[in-house]
Amino acid sequence: MAAEIVNPRSDSSTDQDGGAEPLDSFDPAFALHRGGKMAVQATVPVRDKDDLSLAYTPGVARVCTAIAEHPDLVNDYTWKSSVVAVVTDGTAVLGLGDIGPEASLPVMEGKAILFKQFGGVDAVPIALDCTGVDEIVETVVRLAPSFGGVNLEDISAPRCFEIERQLQERLDIPVFHDDQHGTAVVTLAALRNAARLTGRGLGELRAVISGSGAAGIAIAKFLIEAGIGDVAVADRKGVVSADRDDLTPVKREVAGFTNKAGLTGSLEEALEGADVFIGVSGGTVAEEAVASMAKDAFVFAMANPNPEVHPDVAHKYAAVVATGRSDFPNQINNVLAFPGIFAGALQVRASRITEGMKIAAAEALAGVVGDDLAADYVIPSPFDERVAPAVTAAVAAAARAEGVARR
């Protein structure tokens, strides 16, 4: 069976209680969401008793017996190898915070249809009514036989790091926390092209990241892996540096592999002379701080709906400006990455998603821009039909090269 992108809206003009006029009547978002945003569709016909005997009993028993004797056949004779579980506990949903599993479902459904629309990957939303690391890990491990991959979504830091680590250790299928790695992949792709536009290499750049949550820390790690010159991470209290005595274990680890320049003090102080600002935290950065950045700087202000630096301000001082919004050029959008990454991993039945596969995804994504590179075009649109095939092929090739592909 395959997830079908449909809009099964009810035609009812009253709410279930027969009371006040429904929300649908004045808000198109509610109208679109009525009944949910996805459904399930069979991929084989069941038209008569012969079809039924093959799709179900007795024919299905022969397939079950074969899989019991040769477990790897599950990948060939079920949907397992082409379906992803989209798992959340509802603790860090978009910019809404800890709103719980039921309230997270519209986002998880949305994620699932994006998997299908942009990567051809079936996905199932799973919202868990538990928040403990061990509870989540054990639950997902027990669900894993039904899936070819696990996309962790909207789980708050720092628990998300440990949940992902444990699941990667215990499962032999790709486990990917998109809030971390999808954001990092698209950011790196845009940054590579911005550097190319201004005639610089990644190793010549010093970046400052505003935000020490899942995305900020993952971006820092990934940029270092990709060879950036230096990167510092800032939280509400300033630069995450080894001299601070108020760091969590995760932030202390971050302090150990970032900030080669030894910066201390506030975010604004760290931005002086910096080549890159990356915002994944919200809040507002003063115009004076942006003005103090290096010549031909890049401002990636990705908070939604309000960027940390408004593009009108950023354009006064920066050579390239990107946001997380679709109504400005250069949208840093995770949908550019995760469908193709999973499609590539599933295509070769990868046991995990490696750093090399993520870097390959970023390079492929950057390559889609090609000779059309411009200040307002350092990253392609999610609707560019070249994106998913390019990322899928690059990730599959990298999986084979790194020895994690199983076909």
Side-chain angles (χ1 to χ4, degrees), residues 325-400:
R325 288 173 46 157
S326 60
D327 54 346
F328 293 110
N330 296 327
Q331 184 190 19
I332 308 294
N333 190 328
N334 288 19
V335 76
L336 288 162
F338 69 81
I341 289 173
F342 268 99
L346 294 175
Q347 185 180 95
V348 298
R349 293 181 190 164
S351 58
R352 59 193 177 95
I353 294 172
T354 66
E355 290 300 300
M357 291 161 71
K358 291 184 286 185
I359 288 176
E363 291 175 346
L365 184 54
V368 170
V369 170
D371 294 337
D372 295 324
L373 180 64
D376 61 354
Y377 185 55
V378 298
I379 198 76
S381 162
F383 297 98
D384 188 323
E385 294 181 354
R386 299 171 297 171
V387 168
V391 173
T392 298
V395 168
R400 292 190 179 99

Side-chain angles (χ1 to χ4, degrees), residues 87-152:
V87 179
T88 189
D89 64 356
T91 56
V93 181
L94 300 177
L96 304 173
D98 185 355
I99 60 175
E102 286 90 353
S104 77
L105 270 175
V107 178
M108 300 310 115
E109 288 183 2
K111 198 80 173 189
I113 66 173
L114 294 180
F115 265 109
K116 187 67 173 180
Q117 179 72 36
F118 294 102
V121 173
D122 290 307
V124 177
I126 299 177
L128 302 180
D129 189 15
C130 57
T131 58
V133 170
D134 292 342
E135 290 178 296
I136 291 174
V137 169
E138 291 299 327
T139 302
V140 175
V141 167
R142 283 162 173 73
L143 290 170
S146 295
F147 299 98
V150 175
N151 182 94
L152 299 174

Side-chain angles (χ1 to χ4, degrees), residues 174-207:
V175 178
F176 185 85
H177 185 208
D178 187 48
D179 300 322
Q180 294 183 60
H181 311 300
T183 308
V185 166
V186 183
T187 300
L188 175 60
L191 191 57
R192 282 194 181 280
N193 275 340
R196 180 164 69 94
L197 181 69
T198 56
R200 288 176 285 180
L202 205 63
E204 300 174 58
L205 304 177
R206 176 171 74 83

Side-chain angles (χ1 to χ4, degrees), residues 232-305:
V233 177
D235 61 14
R236 290 186 180 90
K237 297 182 180 179
V239 175
V240 174
S241 56
D243 66 324
R244 283 176 50 180
D245 59 7
D246 61 345
L247 299 179
T248 64
V250 170
K251 290 183 184 180
R252 188 156 296 283
E253 179 188 355
V254 170
F257 64 77
T258 60
N259 194 18
K260 291 189 296 186
L263 301 173
T264 59
S266 68
L267 166 71
E268 287 77 11
E269 290 172 316
L271 280 176
E272 185 174 354
D275 302 291
V276 186
F277 168 77
I278 297 171
V280 284
S281 67
T284 302
V285 176
E287 181 172 347
E288 293 77 11
V290 180
S292 75
M293 294 177 69
K295 184 178 182 294
D296 289 333
F298 313 139
V299 172
F300 291 4
M302 298 187 285
N304 263 315

